[in-house]
Amino acid sequence: MTGGRASPFLRLLKAVRSHSNTVRLASLCSILNKIWDLAPPLLIGVAVDVVVEREDSLLAGWGLVDPWHQLIALSIATFVIWGLESVFEYLYGILWRNLAQTVQHEFRQKTFDHVLKQGMGWFDERQKGDLMAVMNDDINQLERFLDKGANDLLQVSTTVVIVGAVFLAISWQVALFAVLPIPIIIWGSFRYQRNLEPRYAEVRAAAGRINALLENDLSGMTTIQSFTAEDHESSRIQSISEEYKEANRKAIRLSAAFVPLIRMAILVGFTATLLLGGWMTLQDKLAVGAYSVLVFMTQRLLWPLTRLGETFDLYQRAMASTTRILDLLETPISVEDGLESISNDEASSSPLQIESLTFGYPGRMQLFQKLDLQIDAGSTLGVVGPTGSGKTSLVRLLLRFNEPSDGRISWSGKDIRDLSLESLRGNIALVSQHVTLFPTTILENIRYGRPDASDADVEDAARIAEAEEFIHALPNRWNTLVGEGGHRLSGGQRQRVAIARAILKDAPFLILDEATSSVDNETEAALQRSIHRISRGRTTLIIAHRLSTVRRADRIIVMDQGTIVEEGNHDDLVNLGGLYSRLWTVQTGENIQP
């Protein structure tokens, strides 16, 4: 434990406990493979003993007196041992690799599902690139350790135990000197591990920062090129990449020194075996075959221990990634799911009531103070006001993307915090200013509103949204791929697809958040016709900068700094001579001086 918190390795074991049987079986196969892998040096020693001692060899004492028969028995044993080694190598390879792929898949799915449950305020405080680094790079790093590193650690440990036991069985004097460096090596390995841990944590953090900046730059390429800021962004990438390189350099500098130090420590053991064992053999205190076993066993110990540095390097990278993965998974869900539900009929016939609502973003002034508002069932409510007045924030609260600090929002008499998110959001269709289209066909993007809809239903929704004409003009019509983010379509076309998607969902509450703000006048007129048609018979909330979009609304509220300052229909508000009237005058050009 460090600072009251479990080590990354223990946290990982707990996270994969559902696969504990596979871990145990894979570990057993790794150990058995290494046991059989260490058997050939023993066979070599016995073979040397046979050709030197002949009828007086070890095997002769077991009933095989003839040297030739002894060699035949050794040959058979060799085939059996190599066969068993190969079988267990195959088994541990299958088990560890499949476990690595399974854990990788499950962690990626768990982290993504966990992220999906977070409120939008949670995303506001995090960088998408860093989240992508956790769900991609860090999980891949863990997969590489489970695929190879776990087996290497087990086999190195098995080698140390088996070789130590063989040395003690043959000659405790030689074992004393030959095995003496091993505790030093193990102690040094753990010291290195502790020193490497913070360095690789910084490496993973730097990787997250690179991902965040790359994701931001790729998304904002239009802005970068229009401001001829390529050199500036290139220098920013260069700077943060230098940080990543330097963090890796510090870790590499430490890990690279590990293998040479281990070699020097093992050299002491090997020299002790060579000299002390050789002296005891010359003094007839040790058999030639036994001496051969000791020499070959020392060599078999050398190679895996020299790879211990590489294995610990892989282990530390994996543990740094494990910490980031599990920290993300252990982040509390910022929006609690309710247990109640609201039926489609209830949602269609019930008003939505906002009472004494208080809300503000972290680190900023309160936006809403005791806000009261009722949205009548089946009516169309327009919400207008200057930038920053709280229009979009109201939508985020209705959808529970954010939570109020006080007050309540109720629907059909139920606090929406008591409703399940699926029930609440399933009864609301949102068309936002920033349309999200997925890199698939137009047909499938519209069908996203109701995945079980037929092609005919999709086409009907597109017809109501006045999207059918431009779709038929495309080379592949409904099967046209829209590209990443829908970049192959114009802004107006993307908005029509989004409205068609909302029409297909057929939710009783429709929210249009600046749905016509970034289109030309002709497209706006088409969208307004669509909005007018689909808002009939359902509760509709229209947020707009363009007042022409809300002109037909049953009721319009004007917001300023989180407060409702005016209320009424279009004509009443124009005649009132207040903020709405001034905005209308500006937008119609009546105050433009010649």
Side-chain angles (χ1 to χ4, degrees):
M1 300 285 288
T2 302
R5 189 179 192 183
S7 69
F9 183 71
L10 292 178
R11 294 176 72 194
L12 176 61
L13 287 181
K14 184 179 179 181
V16 300
R17 62 181 177 272
S18 61
H19 302 290
S20 56
N21 289 335
T22 302
V23 171
R24 283 193 286 266
L25 184 57
S27 300
L28 178 63
C29 290
S30 293
I31 292 169
L32 291 174
N33 166 260
K34 180 49 63 175
I35 289 173
W36 294 117
D37 178 59
L38 292 171
L42 293 175
L43 295 178
I44 294 172
V46 173
V48 171
D49 187 57
V50 168
V51 297
V52 172
E53 301 294 338
R54 299 176 183 268
E55 287 82 2
D56 297 324
S57 68
L58 178 66
L59 286 182
W62 292 358
L64 285 173
V65 179
D66 185 277
W68 178 246
H69 291 165
Q70 295 178 31
L71 292 175
I72 291 175
L74 284 175
S75 299
I76 294 172
T78 300
F79 272 95
V80 172
I81 288 170
W82 280 65
L84 288 171
E85 180 192 355
S86 299
V87 166
F88 285 110
E89 183 173 3
Y90 170 77
L91 290 175
Y92 84 63
I94 288 289
L95 290 167
W96 281 121
R97 290 179 182 181
N98 283 337
L99 176 65
Q101 295 306 314
T102 301
V103 170
Q104 179 192 46
H105 166 73
E106 290 181 353
F107 270 10
R108 184 169 286 120
Q109 193 65 51
K110 285 179 181 178
T111 52
F112 185 66
D113 288 346
H114 189 76
V115 167
L116 284 176
K117 295 174 183 177
Q118 298 291 350
M120 297 307 295
W122 185 85
F123 290 97
D124 293 341
E125 299 172 7
R126 286 162 178 82
Q127 294 180 312
K128 287 187 289 183
D130 192 44
L131 293 174
M132 290 170 61
V134 173
M135 291 187 284
N136 191 34
D137 296 347
D138 286 313
I139 289 175
N140 288 342
Q141 189 68 52
L142 178 58
E143 180 263 337
R144 284 190 286 271
F145 169 71
L146 291 175
D147 187 74
K148 182 175 182 293
N151 172 70
D152 287 349
L153 283 176
L154 284 167
Q155 294 207 331
V156 167
S157 303
T158 303
T159 299
V160 171
V161 172
I162 297 296
V163 171
V166 170
F167 270 56
L168 287 172
I170 294 175
S171 172
W172 68 266
Q173 296 97 330
V174 176
L176 183 63
F177 288 96
V179 182
L180 185 62
I182 292 179
I184 299 173
I185 292 169
I186 294 174
W187 173 79
S189 298
F190 282 106
R191 283 294 301 272
Y192 260 81
Q193 175 187 339
R194 285 195 294 270
N195 289 330
L196 278 171
E197 186 174 351
R199 300 195 184 196
Y200 278 125
E202 176 55 29
V203 168
R204 299 313 311 152
R209 291 193 293 272
I210 288 177
N211 266 27
L213 185 56
L214 286 173
E215 192 276 336
N216 185 75
D217 282 0
L218 290 175
S219 300
M221 193 58 66
T222 301
T223 302
I224 292 170
Q225 293 186 355
S226 67
F227 281 89
T228 60
E230 293 90 344
D231 291 343
H232 174 68
E233 292 304 319
S234 179
S235 65
R236 288 213 298 170
I237 290 292
Q238 181 181 8
S239 175
I240 200 167
S241 185
E242 285 285 349
E243 291 179 18
Y244 178 70
K245 183 179 74 172
E246 187 58 33
N248 260 307
R249 192 195 303 276
K250 291 177 181 177
I252 291 168
R253 189 182 299 126
L254 187 60
S255 64
F258 188 69
V259 172
L261 291 175
I262 287 180
R263 285 184 181 275
M264 297 308 297
I266 292 177
L267 178 61
V268 175
F270 183 73
T271 304
T273 303
L274 189 68
L275 294 177
L276 182 58
W279 179 82
M280 293 178 67
T281 303
L282 293 173
Q283 297 297 317
D284 294 328
K285 295 180 179 180
L286 192 66
V288 175
Y291 178 57
S292 302
V293 170
L294 292 178
V295 172
F296 280 113
M297 277 293 189
T298 306
Q299 284 290 85
R300 296 304 294 269
L301 180 65
L302 174 64
W303 174 243
L305 284 179
T306 55
R307 292 178 56 196
L308 195 58
E310 177 186 342
T311 303
F312 267 124
D313 185 83
L314 188 62
Y315 171 81
Q316 278 306 328
R317 289 178 182 269
M319 291 306 100
S321 293
T322 296
T323 298
R324 283 163 55 83
I325 295 166
L326 296 181
D327 282 351
L328 175 59
L329 284 172
E330 292 169 7
T331 304
I333 301 296
S334 56
V335 177
E336 292 186 16
D337 204 355
L339 299 176
E340 296 186 38
S341 61
I342 181 171
S343 68
N344 190 276
D345 289 339
E346 286 179 303
S348 299
S349 59
S350 304
L352 201 146
Q353 189 77 39
I354 299 173
E355 302 170 272
S356 301
L357 190 72
T358 301
F359 170 74
Y361 292 102
R364 292 155 62 180
M365 294 178 60
Q366 291 285 352
L367 180 60
F368 297 131
Q369 287 280 7
K370 304 294 183 182
L371 177 69
D372 293 308
L373 175 65
Q374 177 170 308
I375 305 174
D376 295 327
S379 69
T380 298
L381 174 68
V383 181
V384 300
T387 301
S389 59
K391 303 185 299 298
T392 296
S393 296
L394 182 62
V395 173
R396 290 166 69 102
L397 291 166
L398 291 173
L399 286 160
R400 291 196 68 202
F401 291 161
N402 293 94
E403 298 281 40
S405 54
D406 197 12
R408 71 194 296 260
I409 303 174
S410 57
W411 201 358
S412 187
K414 302 174 183 177
D415 193 316
I416 64 170
R417 284 172 291 196
D418 297 329
L419 300 176
S420 71
L421 294 174
E422 182 178 0
S423 176
L424 172 67
R425 295 171 183 171
N427 282 295
I428 300 174
L430 172 67
V431 181
S432 175
Q433 174 185 3
H434 304 289
V435 176
T436 298
L437 296 184
F438 302 95
T440 182
T441 64
I442 289 179
L443 186 75
E444 292 307 314
N445 267 288
I446 297 176
R447 204 197 304 272
Y448 200 81
R450 197 172 82 237
D452 60 347
S454 66
D455 289 357
D457 291 335
V458 173
E459 291 172 11
D460 286 342
R463 189 175 302 112
I464 296 171
E466 298 195 16
E468 192 177 40
E469 183 178 350
F470 89 79
I471 292 173
H472 283 184
L474 295 171
N476 295 319
R477 303 179 70 181
W478 298 98
N479 292 319
T480 299
L481 294 172
V482 302
E484 186 175 358
H487 74 272
R488 294 180 183 174
L489 303 180
S490 69
Q493 290 171 339
R494 288 197 294 269
Q495 285 288 7
R496 294 189 201 197
V497 170
I499 289 177
R501 188 161 59 191
I503 293 169
L504 187 65
K505 185 175 182 180
D506 195 27
F509 187 13
L510 173 65
I511 298 178
L512 299 153
D513 185 7
E514 303 286 3
T516 65
S517 63
S518 58
V519 296
D520 56 59
N521 292 333
E522 183 179 350
T523 303
E524 182 195 7
L527 292 176
Q528 286 181 9
R529 289 194 297 270
S530 300
I531 291 169
H532 183 63
R533 281 195 293 270
I534 63 176
S535 62
R536 292 174 187 161
R538 75 179 79 237
T539 308
T540 305
L541 176 65
I542 303 176
I543 293 175
H545 270 109
R546 293 184 176 181
L547 303 187
S548 55
T549 306
V550 299
R551 186 172 183 175
R552 296 184 181 181
D554 300 318
R555 178 163 147 253
I556 301 170
I557 61 171
V558 184
M559 300 192 71
D560 190 18
Q561 298 182 358
T563 303
I564 300 174
V565 294
E566 295 175 14
E567 186 175 350
N569 61 35
H570 172 77
D571 292 334
D572 292 340
L573 292 172
V574 170
N575 294 331
L576 188 64
L579 178 58
Y580 184 92
S581 179
R582 292 196 299 274
L583 291 173
W584 178 254
T585 302
V586 170
Q587 291 187 17
T588 55
E590 294 179 14
N591 69 333
I592 298 176
Q593 298 299 320

